[in-house]
């Protein structure tokens, strides 16, 4: 009896744990709880990551942010002057190069494409060690002068946290993807103090879809991350800028021109980035773990020429918008940032391209503002307005995420007056980007590996297979001379609702549907044979991709369509709606 009581006492916690796990996996409320936990974790991760960057920058440059005092010497190396800039990227590369190569090679580069790929193709699976390796590698890279941003790394860090927690909870892949997006949203929200930008970044770039369930989860994660970040780092706007006003409605035409110019600059940035990476790949023949240190010599030389490019560079961005630089120097900084960021990524550095795109947009926009202000001083606002709006336009041009661009710039500045000009400029920049380039700065990296995310979204859960792999035998054909009444009986017995029609020589003439036959049965003046009722549906061959067969099947009457050989003339099979449904279920079952 006592043993039985003891047995029951032990059984209760096991049952409770099982019920709790099922509740978390199956209920929307469980997903929201996990989203809150991930949001808090992402917020703490963003705080820790910024501390790591500050610490690494202080050790390697002697300043909390070297871009705030460009050209100054390292206080620990008196007599070196700015020559220490040649050494800082090399020392940093000697540490993070082996770290990335040994423990998590996904941590190399700018991070967001890897998260997009994990969501689209790997069901949200990200190695847990990516969080730690990415944080250390990116902090060392930025602290050592790498001209990259901290937003891409924090997205990957938060996403890895979401993936790890989701797998511990044994969530299905559909919900695991949402948790990855929650981690990304929380990271963006905390690092920018932008609770709105986080969800839109996650939905527009990571999930690339909007549903009530996923949007609710990423919003909760973003709020939790923002509250956590604000509790530790304060509640100030990310950029402290003067109040800007649009002085004349005519300026909206100038904002449209700005969108054209900076949108093209954003596309150019993406092309330069991967062109420099290709050059680095061709040149380097040594071990990969040594590549960041060896390339750090080139990066250090560039920093000697333009120390304003050290690290993320937000102080320089603020100075440009405040009007501290002339047009010529703004354009030098714009070109220099493109090269410095591309070189940092090309040599194997770890960091994001979000902040560099904002930097490039600020330089180009402010230069544009100085020109139009000199030509139309009574009509145009301060050149800084154009620099601020150029930040969103450059991001839209490179990442093609207009909603995120508008929301992010509004939140990091706290200036509502920029909304209308920002919306118009960002839309134009996005259209220019779409016209000039097939890919964004993120999807281009994946396409270079043979991964087409656009095709993945068109395909849904359909595998990369052809119609020939799922087609069935051709059902018995109807001779063209068959009477409608006889055809109706044959169609009913076939179960397809549609059958092919052939002439006396067996040549395919088209298909006849049960609906077409039924319409003529009661009409004495109707056609006498099904040959007169035959229609030619959309052509599908055995080499047609399953995704490309979706539209013809959706438009077809009946349950299937004929399949032709590669030459498009010989009838070789039959594809049905059920065959495509079975193909969609097959990947999920594996």
């Amino acid at each position: 009896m006592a043993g039985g009581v003891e047995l029951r006492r032990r059984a209760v916690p096991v049952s409770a744990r099982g019920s709790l796990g099922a509740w978390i996996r199956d209920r929307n409320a469980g997903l929201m709880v996990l989203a809150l936990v991930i949001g808090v974790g992402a917020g703490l991760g963003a705080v820790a990551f910024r501390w790591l960057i500050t610490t690494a920058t202080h050790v390697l440059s002697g300043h909390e942010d070297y871009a705030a005092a460009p050209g100054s010497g390292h206080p620990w190396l008196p007599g070196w002057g700015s020559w220490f800039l040649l050494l800082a990227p090399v020392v940093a590369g000697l540490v993070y190069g082996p770290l990335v190569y040994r423990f998590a090679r996904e941590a190399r580069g700018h991070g967001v494409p890897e998260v997009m790929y994990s969501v689209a193709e790997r069901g949200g699976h990200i190695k847990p060690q990516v969080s730690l390796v990415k944080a250390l590698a990116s902090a060392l890279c930025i602290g050592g002068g790498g001209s990259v941003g901290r937003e891409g790394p924090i997205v990957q860090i938060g996403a890895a946290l979401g993936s790890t927690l989701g797998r511990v909870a044994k969530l299905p892949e559909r919900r695991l993807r949402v948790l990855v997006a929650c981690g990304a949203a929380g990271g963006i929200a905390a690092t920018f103090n932008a609770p709105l930008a986080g969800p839109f970044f996650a939905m527009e770039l990571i999930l690339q879809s909007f549903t009530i369930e996923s949007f609710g989860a990423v919003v909760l994660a973003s709020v939790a991350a923002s509250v956590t970040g604000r509790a530790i780092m304060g509640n100030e706007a990310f950029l402290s800028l003067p109040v800007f006003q649009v002085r004349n409605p005519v300026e909206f035409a100038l904002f449209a021109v700005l969108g054209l110019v900076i949108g093209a600059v954003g596309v150019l940035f993406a092309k330069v980035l991967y062109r420099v990476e290709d050059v680095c790949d061709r040149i380097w023949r040594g071990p990969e773990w040594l590549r960041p240190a060896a390339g750090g010599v080139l990066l250090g030389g560039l920093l000697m020429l333009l120390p304003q490019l050290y690290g993320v560079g937000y102080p320089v961005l603020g100075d440009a918008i405040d009007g501290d630089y002339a047009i010529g120097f703004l354009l030098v900084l714009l070109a220099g940032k493109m090269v410095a960021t591309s070189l940092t990524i090309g040599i194997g550095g770890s960091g994001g391209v979000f902040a560099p795109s904002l930097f490039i947009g600020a330089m180009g926009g402010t230069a544009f503002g100085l020109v139009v202000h000199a030509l139309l001083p009574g009509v145009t606002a301060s050149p800084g307005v154009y620099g601020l709006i150029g930040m969103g336009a450059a991001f839209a041009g490179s990442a093609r995420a207009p909603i995120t661009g508008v929301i992010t710039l509004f939140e990091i500045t706290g200036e509502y007056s920029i909304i209308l000009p920002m919306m118009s400029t960002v839309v134009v920049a996005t259209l220019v980007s779409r016209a000039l380039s097939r890919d964004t700065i993120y999807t281009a990296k994946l396409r270079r590996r043979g991964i087409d995310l656009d095709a993945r979204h068109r395909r849904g859960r359909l595998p990369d297979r052809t119609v020939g792999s799922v087609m069935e035998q051709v059902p018995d054909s109807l001779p063209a001379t068959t009477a409608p009444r006889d055809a109706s009986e044959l169609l009913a017995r076939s179960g397809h609702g549609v059958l092919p029609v052939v002439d006396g020589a067996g040549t395919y003439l088209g298909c006849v549907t049960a609906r077409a036959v039924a319409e003529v049965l009661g009409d004495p003046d109707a056609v006498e044979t099904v040959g007169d009722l035959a229609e030619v549906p959309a052509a599908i061959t055995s080499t047609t991709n399953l995704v490309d067969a979706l539209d013809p099947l959706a438009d077809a009457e009946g349950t299937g369509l004929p399949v032709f050989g590669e030459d498009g003339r010989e009838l070789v099979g039959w594809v049905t709606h059920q065959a495509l449904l079975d193909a969609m279920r097959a990947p999920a079952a594996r």
Side-chain angles (χ1 to χ4, degrees):
M1 184 69 174
V5 172
E6 181 65 18
L7 180 60
R8 286 194 297 273
R9 287 176 180 172
R10 292 176 180 173
V12 169
V14 174
S15 175
R17 287 195 296 269
S19 299
L20 178 60
W23 181 80
I24 290 175
R25 287 191 296 272
D26 302 332
R27 302 283 185 174
N28 286 338
L31 181 67
M32 300 306 164
V33 170
L34 290 177
L36 285 172
V37 173
I38 291 169
V40 173
L44 293 174
V47 172
F49 181 52
R50 291 179 67 169
W51 177 82
L52 284 173
I53 293 175
T54 301
T55 301
T57 304
H58 185 70
V59 170
L60 293 168
S61 74
H63 300 77
E64 288 191 3
D65 192 339
Y66 188 77
S72 58
H74 196 306
W76 301 353
L77 300 172
W80 281 54
S82 60
W83 285 96
F84 82 93
L85 292 172
L86 286 173
L87 185 63
V90 176
V91 173
L94 285 173
V95 180
Y96 74 77
L99 181 68
V100 170
Y101 182 80
R102 174 66 179 83
F103 296 104
R105 299 185 188 181
E106 302 95 324
R108 175 184 168 181
H110 46 106
V112 175
E114 283 73 18
V115 177
M116 295 169 67
Y117 174 69
S118 73
V119 168
E121 298 291 343
R122 302 188 67 239
H125 288 254
I126 302 175
K127 295 178 183 177
Q129 66 264 33
V130 169
S131 289
L132 180 60
V133 175
K134 187 70 175 182
L136 293 173
S138 296
L140 286 165
C141 181
I142 295 171
S147 194
V148 285
R150 62 192 183 211
E151 295 74 25
I154 196 58
V155 166
Q156 197 169 10
I157 291 167
L161 172 64
S163 177
T164 301
L165 185 58
R167 281 185 289 163
V168 169
K170 299 182 179 179
L171 263 64
E173 287 187 353
R174 176 177 60 85
R175 293 196 164 197
L176 185 60
R177 293 186 182 98
V178 175
L179 291 190
V180 170
C182 287
I188 287 291
T191 196
F192 272 135
N193 190 15
L196 280 176
F200 283 104
F201 180 92
M203 303 299 291
E204 197 171 19
L205 288 173
I206 305 302
L207 291 177
Q208 297 188 5
S209 65
F210 286 79
T211 65
I212 296 298
E213 180 186 54
S214 58
F215 187 69
V218 297
V219 166
L220 282 178
S222 181
V223 169
S226 295
V227 170
T228 303
R230 289 177 179 183
I232 300 174
M233 297 183 292
N235 188 23
E236 297 181 1
F238 187 76
L239 290 175
S240 298
L241 302 172
V243 177
F244 293 137
Q245 296 292 334
V246 178
R247 298 181 60 181
N248 193 302
V250 175
E251 279 194 280
F252 281 96
L254 297 175
F255 292 137
V257 177
L258 176 65
L260 288 171
V261 174
I262 303 301
V265 169
V267 174
L268 177 63
F269 173 41
K271 293 186 179 300
V272 170
L273 176 70
Y274 293 111
R275 185 64 58 85
V276 171
E277 189 171 10
D278 287 340
V279 171
C280 292
D281 289 340
R282 285 198 299 268
I283 292 176
W284 181 249
R285 290 294 180 267
E288 283 299 310
W289 62 266
L290 188 59
R291 180 167 165 170
V297 177
L298 296 176
L299 180 60
L302 180 58
L303 294 176
M304 286 284 294
L305 296 174
L306 285 172
Q308 291 83 0
L309 303 178
Y310 196 106
V312 180
Y314 283 130
V316 178
L317 185 153
D319 291 341
I321 292 178
D322 287 339
D324 293 348
Y325 303 136
I327 295 176
F329 191 59
L330 288 169
L331 296 178
V332 168
L333 289 176
L334 184 153
K337 191 68 171 182
M338 283 189 186
V339 175
T341 300
S342 303
L343 183 59
T344 302
I345 298 295
I347 65 175
S350 179
V353 296
F354 189 106
S357 68
L358 299 184
F359 186 102
I360 289 166
M363 302 304 125
T366 304
F368 181 90
L370 288 170
V371 171
V372 298
H373 191 67
L375 296 174
L376 303 168
V379 175
T380 57
S382 165
V385 175
Y386 295 87
L388 182 62
I389 295 173
M391 292 165 63
F395 177 69
S398 59
R400 211 172 295 157
I403 300 175
T404 302
V406 171
I407 296 297
T408 300
L409 265 296
F410 165 62
E411 284 201 287
I412 67 176
T413 62
E415 291 294 337
Y416 182 77
S417 60
I418 70 167
I419 287 293
L420 290 180
M422 178 66 73
M423 289 173 65
S424 59
T425 306
V426 163
V427 166
V428 173
T430 303
L431 294 175
V432 169
S433 172
R434 188 176 295 277
L436 295 179
S437 175
R438 178 182 181 184
D439 292 302
T440 70
I441 198 169
Y442 298 129
T443 60
K445 182 174 183 179
L446 297 175
R447 190 181 296 279
R448 286 154 58 86
R449 301 177 186 169
I451 302 166
D452 186 353
L453 288 188
D454 290 336
R456 170 64 177 82
H457 285 288
R458 292 194 305 270
R459 188 175 77 236
R461 285 172 54 183
L462 279 175
D464 289 319
R465 290 159 59 187
T466 62
V467 170
S469 67
V470 300
M471 67 182 183
E472 305 169 358
Q473 289 185 347
V474 181
D476 292 337
S477 302
L478 292 175
T481 56
T482 305
R485 186 168 300 279
D486 295 333
S488 67
E489 296 178 3
L490 295 172
L491 282 163
R493 287 201 297 267
S494 73
H496 287 292
V498 58
L499 288 174
V501 177
V502 296
D503 62 14
T507 303
Y508 169 76
L509 300 178
C511 292
V512 65
T513 65
R515 180 191 59 79
V517 171
E519 288 178 352
V520 302
L521 281 179
D523 187 354
D525 298 325
V527 297
E528 296 182 357
T529 66
V530 295
D532 298 320
L533 297 174
E535 299 177 357
V536 180
I540 295 177
T541 69
S542 59
T543 58
T544 300
N545 290 328
L546 291 181
V547 64
D548 295 325
L550 283 174
D551 288 341
L553 272 171
D555 295 336
E557 295 188 39
T559 62
L561 286 175
V563 180
F564 296 90
E566 294 185 32
D567 58 4
R569 291 191 296 269
E570 182 185 0
L571 198 60
V572 297
W574 195 262
V575 62
T576 65
H577 300 80
Q578 187 61 48
L580 263 69
L581 291 173
D582 292 341
M584 291 176 69
R585 282 198 297 266
R590 287 197 296 266

